[in-house]
Amino acid sequence: MSSLAALREGYEHFDPRAYLQNNYLPPRADFSSEEFVVPWKLRCLAETFATGEIHGHTLIDVGSGPTIYQLLSACDHFEEIVATDYLAVNREELGRWARGEPGTFDWSPFIQHVCKIEGRGEPWQEKERRLRSRLRRILPIDVHRPDPLGSPLRPPADALLSAFCLEAVSPDRAAFTRALTHVGTLLRPGGHVLLLGALGESFYLAGPARLPVVPLDAGAVREAVASAGLGLRELRVYAMPPALRTPVDDVDGVFFAHAQKPPEA
C-alpha cells in the first residue's frame, strides 16, 4: 500500500467532533491573551485582510475541515466563499453550520474575538450572518489531483486560503509541494494565497484516527512556495508554548504564509 493510500485509509476514521474538541476548545482556544495560538492565528488573518489588498469575487478555502474560524476576516472581502474538503463528514459538518442547524460547534467566541480585534464595533451576529450568506458552495476536493476540484472553476478564484490541510494530507515534502502546485491552478494570475499550517508535527489525533503529518520547518515552507511558482510576501512563525502542548499531537509551532501568484506577462 502506498503512503498516499494509507493516508486516505486513515482519514476514513476521522472524527470531526473529536478534532474540534482537541483543537478549538481550551486550552488552545483561550482568548484571554494574544499569546495563545488561536488568537495568534486569527490576528494573522485579520491583519492581512485589513490591508484591503486581498479581495474579489471568489475565495476558495482548500481543505476546510469542520472549521470556519479561518473565514471570519475573509468574508468581508469576497462575494462568494467556496469551502472544500476531501471528507464527506467534514462537508456535512460545515453544511449544518452554514444552515444554522442546532447542535453544531459553537464558533461564537471566535467570531466575537475577530470582531474585537477588527475594531469596527460590529455585532458578532452580523459577521456570522454574513459568513453564512457568502459560504455558498461546499465542494469535494483532492489536492493530489492536478485538477483538485475535478473540473476548472470559471472564472478562477481571486484568492486561496488553506489552514492545516496540505501538510496533514501529504506523505512527504515532495507531495506537499505538488499539492500546493495543484491548488495554485485554481487561482487567477496575480491572486493571493494564505496558508496556516503546522511546524515540526508528525501526527495528530481525531477520535480513533491517528494521522501522520509531514514535519515542516520555515525553510521547507519557503521552498515549497517557490517551487509552486508563488512569490512569498510574508512568513510568520509561532512557537507552541509548553502549556499548549497536549497528547493530541506533537506540534512544535504554527506558520502563517502570504504568497502571490505572478501576474500574466
Side-chain angles (χ1 to χ4, degrees):
M1 181 181 292
S2 72
S3 296
L4 185 54
L7 266 171
R8 295 187 194 279
E9 182 176 309
Y11 271 96
E12 293 177 4
H13 305 285
F14 184 93
D15 182 340
R17 291 307 181 94
Y19 174 78
L20 291 169
Q21 182 173 345
N22 290 347
N23 294 283
Y24 298 103
L25 291 175
R28 289 187 174 172
D30 187 331
F31 297 99
S32 64
S33 169
E34 287 290 319
E35 300 305 311
F36 290 118
V37 62
V38 167
W40 183 86
K41 293 189 288 186
L42 294 173
R43 182 167 288 279
C44 286
L45 292 165
E47 290 177 347
T48 303
F49 281 109
T51 66
E53 184 182 6
I54 306 173
H55 60 87
H57 185 276
T58 302
L59 177 140
I60 299 177
D61 185 30
V62 175
S64 305
T67 69
I68 59 89
Y69 74 92
Q70 68 275 19
L71 304 173
L72 291 169
S73 291
C75 74
D76 297 327
H77 302 275
F78 295 89
E79 296 178 40
E80 178 185 35
I81 291 176
V82 179
T84 67
D85 203 78
Y86 180 76
L87 296 178
V89 290
N90 284 337
R91 300 195 301 272
E92 290 162 6
E93 183 76 18
L94 288 174
R96 285 192 291 269
W97 182 87
R99 294 187 295 270
E101 294 183 8
T104 58
F105 189 80
D106 180 14
W107 291 106
S108 60
F110 294 73
I111 306 172
Q112 292 168 28
H113 187 76
V114 171
C115 288
K116 176 184 175 182
I117 61 178
E118 289 179 346
R120 297 196 298 268
E122 178 182 40
W124 70 267
Q125 296 91 341
E126 177 59 24
K127 183 178 281 288
E128 180 181 65
R129 183 206 61 77
R130 187 183 309 113
L131 177 53
R132 282 186 167 131
S133 71
R134 296 183 178 178
L135 185 55
R136 299 177 187 170
R137 289 186 280 176
I138 302 172
L139 303 178
I141 193 168
D142 185 344
V143 300
H144 298 298
R145 292 170 47 168
D147 194 347
L149 293 176
S151 59
L153 194 71
R154 294 285 182 258
D158 298 291
L160 301 178
L161 196 159
S162 188
F164 300 93
C165 170
L166 302 183
E167 73 278 11
V169 299
S170 298
D172 51 43
R173 288 186 180 185
F176 173 80
T177 300
R178 286 194 300 272
L180 183 57
T181 303
H182 293 162
V183 300
T185 64
L186 304 172
L187 186 65
R188 68 165 173 81
H192 295 263
V193 180
L194 300 180
L195 302 172
L196 280 165
L199 293 172
E201 185 176 38
S202 68
F203 80 94
Y204 74 99
L205 304 180
R210 180 185 170 97
L211 299 157
V213 181
V214 179
L216 300 175
D217 56 27
V221 176
R222 291 179 183 277
E223 290 172 12
V225 167
S227 296
L230 303 170
L232 185 63
R233 299 278 302 273
E234 181 181 20
L235 180 64
R236 305 187 196 183
V237 171
Y238 174 91
M240 192 69 75
L244 299 187
R245 295 177 185 260
T246 71
V248 302
D249 58 41
D250 61 350
V251 65
D252 287 335
V254 176
F255 72 86
F256 171 75
H258 173 197
Q260 190 170 14
K261 192 172 186 175
E264 289 181 325

